[in-house]
Amino acid sequence: MTSTTFSSLPLSLEFLANLESLEYTSMTPIQAQSLPVILKGIDIQAQAKTGSGKTAAFGIGLLHMLDAQTYLTQALVLCPTRELADQVSKEIRRLARPIANTKILTLCGGTPIGPQLASLEHQPHIVVGTPGRILKHLQKGSLKLDHLKMLVLDEADRMLDMGFYDDIMLISEMLPIKKQTLLFSATYSEQIKNISNAFLKDPVDIQVESLHDDTKIKQVFYEIQKNDRTKTLISLLEKYQPESSVVFCNRKQQCQELADDLWQRGFHALALHGDLEQRERDQVLTQFSNKSSSILIATDVAARGLDIKDLNAVINFELSPDPEIHIHRIGRTGRAGNAGMALSLFMASEAAKVNAIAEYQGIPVNIESASSLKSHENFKLIPPMVTLCINGGRKDKIRPGDILGALTSNTGLPGNRIGKIDLFNTQAYVAVEYPIAKQALKILTEGKIKGRKFRIRKL
Ligand code: ADP
Ligand code: MG
């Protein structure tokens, strides 16, 4: 029987105290099975479901072997998307708090290369990024990995889905032979085996039950009539009133149409899909995570790897034809032990998809009739917060405290009614409670931040 307490691992007291402050009281199954092996320096290939805590599994492993006194790049984490890379960096930063001066750099495509080149003038300890951009830096010589000690391939199957096979193989040829490699993937395919043969030495195989334990996720399928999708969706929002939900569609065009439609009906719904520009994506994710938008409408590609805290519900507006993708989707709710809901709409003609899911899960599905759902004409799901957008950011040397100060000092607005503050290079976003949004907008518009006037608008 493997122990599930972090203190059973050879970690320093400071490190354990930090885990406790993150409220990581015990190891998740993947952590309990993989960490003892990782900490011994052995290669692993691990298979585990979404939300099982893989990031901390490799994050703790790589911080443990890191020599923070030596300013050389010692660990590389490859991720499929920029969002995922950002989340991994964030998690590693939180885990690294007890280790002074740990430098972590995120290198992804879709952002200008100039600032990345500047950041690479001093070697970071840890690099997290997407394969295309990492390869580019390796080929340019801007990223030096001669002293790499650990390589992590996170969501390897997703990286392959996104067409990164060749890039990953080219990267592998440019890395030192002697290093530890950790490969994480939800599924195994021929290509994954090729990758694992190219990268791993005598790996230990780790598998954690890949299906969700149904007590955490309440899953219901609703049979609908043709043309009743939007109406049923709204009834479900009324019935369950989820504070945060992701609604899945199969195509990006459908996402946008549904978002526009819900918006017209007075819902704060935002679409997340591949056609958005980076700034639009940041804006959508910021509003969703600070609770000023309660409905995120996404395609599978766009939502890949997102770890959004406190997701109350996943709603399948359209069923995925692939039962494995269905499992990925619903894995976004009920994370790390919280209760979640997965609600799926289907038409009688799609019964085969429902059966495929039931078979894949190995448990019968719970089907209810959509006609029993009630809805009221004027129902609105009002998010608890409102986002104000400021046309200044890190480049203007604005810090979160400056914004909080502008809102609360000598204004009568209490700090506890101000929510998350997100800073980007040229923009900042602050969430404020819905009832004080007007007042906050007025204060910021008429006042100054760091002695300067900024343009403020309500999103
Ligand atoms: P995965 O990469 O397997 O999909 P993540 O690493 O994103 O999952 O973890 C999912 C969530 O669980 C994150 O919010 C993370 O902070 C949290 N988490 C990870 N390990 C623990 C733990 N031991 N105890 C409590 N929460 C944890
Ligand atoms: Mg992950």
Side-chain angles (χ1 to χ4, degrees):
M1 185 63 206
T2 43
S3 170
T4 59
T5 57
F6 282 107
S7 56
S8 66
L9 300 171
L11 299 171
S12 71
L13 289 177
E14 292 80 16
F15 205 90
L16 291 172
N18 184 49
L19 290 174
E20 208 172 292
S21 78
L22 294 173
E23 290 175 13
Y24 287 12
T25 44
S26 60
M27 289 193 261
T28 65
I30 181 74
Q31 292 163 358
Q33 288 188 43
S34 65
L35 271 166
V37 183
I38 296 174
L39 295 181
K40 283 187 197 134
I42 298 169
D43 285 4
I44 65 159
Q45 54 183 33
Q47 196 171 359
K49 68 185 181 186
T50 316
S52 54
K54 294 188 283 290
T55 321
F58 63 75
I60 292 171
L62 69 81
L63 289 168
H64 183 71
M65 64 84 209
L66 198 79
D67 173 7
Q69 312 300 333
T70 308
Y71 289 85
L72 295 168
T73 303
Q74 299 160 50
L76 171 67
V77 183
L78 292 178
C79 301
T81 63
R82 192 190 87 123
E83 277 78 19
L84 191 53
D86 282 340
Q87 276 169 16
V88 166
S89 300
K90 233 188 231 167
E91 174 89 349
I92 298 178
R93 274 200 185 96
R94 299 199 304 154
L95 294 168
R97 286 192 304 212
I99 312 169
N101 302 324
T102 325
K103 257 190 79 186
I104 302 162
L105 183 65
T106 318
L107 296 175
C108 297
T111 48
I113 201 157
Q116 295 183 347
L117 293 174
S119 319
L120 279 166
E121 273 168 25
H122 302 283
Q123 288 197 33
H125 294 108
I126 300 164
V127 170
V128 181
T130 46
R133 187 53 64 96
I134 296 289
L135 180 63
K136 198 161 179 180
H137 279 293
L138 280 170
Q139 288 168 338
K140 267 182 176 303
S142 40
L143 177 62
K144 297 182 191 68
L145 296 177
D146 319 340
H147 297 275
L148 193 78
K149 293 199 273 187
M150 186 182 279
L151 170 71
V152 179
L153 302 158
D154 191 18
E155 306 222 11
D157 50 344
R158 299 292 141 201
M159 288 200 281
L160 295 179
D161 287 350
M162 304 202 54
F164 284 134
Y165 182 80
D166 293 341
D167 287 355
I168 294 174
M169 286 311 208
L170 286 170
I171 292 171
S172 106
E173 288 165 13
M174 301 175 76
L175 301 180
I177 306 239
K178 194 170 166 293
K179 63 177 177 306
Q180 184 181 10
T181 304
L182 314 178
L183 180 147
F184 293 86
S185 186
T187 54
Y188 275 116
S189 62
E190 265 319 296
Q191 277 192 322
I192 298 265
K193 280 196 203 100
N194 292 344
I195 290 200
S196 115
N197 290 339
F199 283 88
L200 305 179
K201 282 183 307 279
D202 309 324
V204 171
D205 258 305
I206 291 167
Q207 275 199 28
V208 173
E209 186 52 51
S210 74
L211 296 180
H212 292 269
D213 112 25
D214 213 44
T215 55
K216 296 284 170 12
I217 300 178
K218 173 182 154 80
Q219 187 170 197
V220 188
F221 288 75
Y222 289 90
E223 183 171 348
I224 54 161
Q225 302 300 317
K226 202 170 190 278
N227 301 328
D228 275 356
R229 282 191 199 272
T230 308
K231 187 180 129 210
T232 309
L233 171 63
I234 293 173
S235 307
L236 290 175
L237 292 172
E238 177 165 356
K239 181 176 164 92
Y240 294 105
Q241 313 224 350
E243 201 170 70
S244 290
S245 58
V246 171
V247 176
F248 279 101
C249 299
N250 293 337
R251 288 160 306 121
K252 52 192 171 193
Q253 190 195 346
Q254 175 82 74
C255 287
Q256 196 58 58
E257 282 170 14
L258 179 59
D260 294 344
D261 190 5
L262 287 178
W263 195 269
Q264 293 216 321
R265 294 170 194 247
F267 290 90
H268 202 299
L270 297 171
L272 185 71
H273 55 69
D275 283 352
L276 299 183
E277 284 175 22
Q278 197 57 56
R279 180 185 290 195
E280 297 171 309
R281 288 177 77 80
D282 290 339
Q283 232 177 54
V284 167
L285 289 173
T286 299
Q287 290 180 81
F288 190 67
S289 70
N290 71 17
K291 301 218 181 292
S292 65
S293 181
S294 27
I295 308 165
L296 186 70
I297 303 171
T299 55
D300 296 291
V301 175
R304 207 155 263 174
L306 290 184
D307 171 34
I308 299 160
K309 286 246 166 14
D310 304 330
L311 198 59
N312 309 106
V314 165
I315 303 177
N316 292 303
F317 190 71
E318 297 174 306
L319 277 184
S320 167
D322 180 346
E324 196 178 318
I325 291 180
H326 179 85
I327 301 294
H328 264 288
R329 287 181 176 183
I330 70 172
R332 290 163 201 294
T333 182
R335 287 198 148 196
N338 294 320
M341 260 175 315
L343 311 170
S344 304
L345 310 186
F346 74 101
M347 291 196 294
S349 58
E350 299 176 291
K353 289 185 198 166
V354 178
N355 289 336
I357 290 167
E359 201 166 294
Y360 189 86
Q361 295 183 143
I363 30 174
V365 297
N366 180 6
I367 297 180
E368 285 178 22
S369 143
S371 57
S372 65
L373 293 169
K374 286 189 248 346
S375 60
H376 298 91
E377 191 62 29
N378 294 321
F379 167 69
K380 298 275 173 300
L381 190 65
I382 297 173
M385 310 297 282
V386 169
T387 297
L388 303 179
C389 171
I390 300 161
N391 77 326
R394 284 204 196 95
K395 276 203 180 129
D396 307 280
K397 306 256 183 299
I398 294 179
R399 288 164 309 166
D402 302 323
I403 298 171
L404 188 63
L407 277 167
T408 57
S409 57
N410 308 320
T411 62
L413 273 192
N416 62 7
R417 308 197 69 180
I418 315 297
K420 233 173 131 231
I421 296 177
D422 290 279
L423 276 176
F424 295 87
N425 280 342
T426 57
Q427 308 269 310
Y429 303 95
V430 54
V432 298
E433 284 183 9
Y434 176 78
I436 61 159
K438 260 207 181 117
Q439 196 188 347
L441 178 66
K442 189 164 182 285
I443 290 172
L444 287 184
T445 307
E446 291 173 0
K448 289 182 174 176
I449 302 170
K450 282 214 122 163
R452 275 183 58 194
K453 281 258 175 219
F454 287 95
R455 228 175 339 112
I456 318 289
R457 64 198 170 90
K458 185 166 147 293
L459 292 184

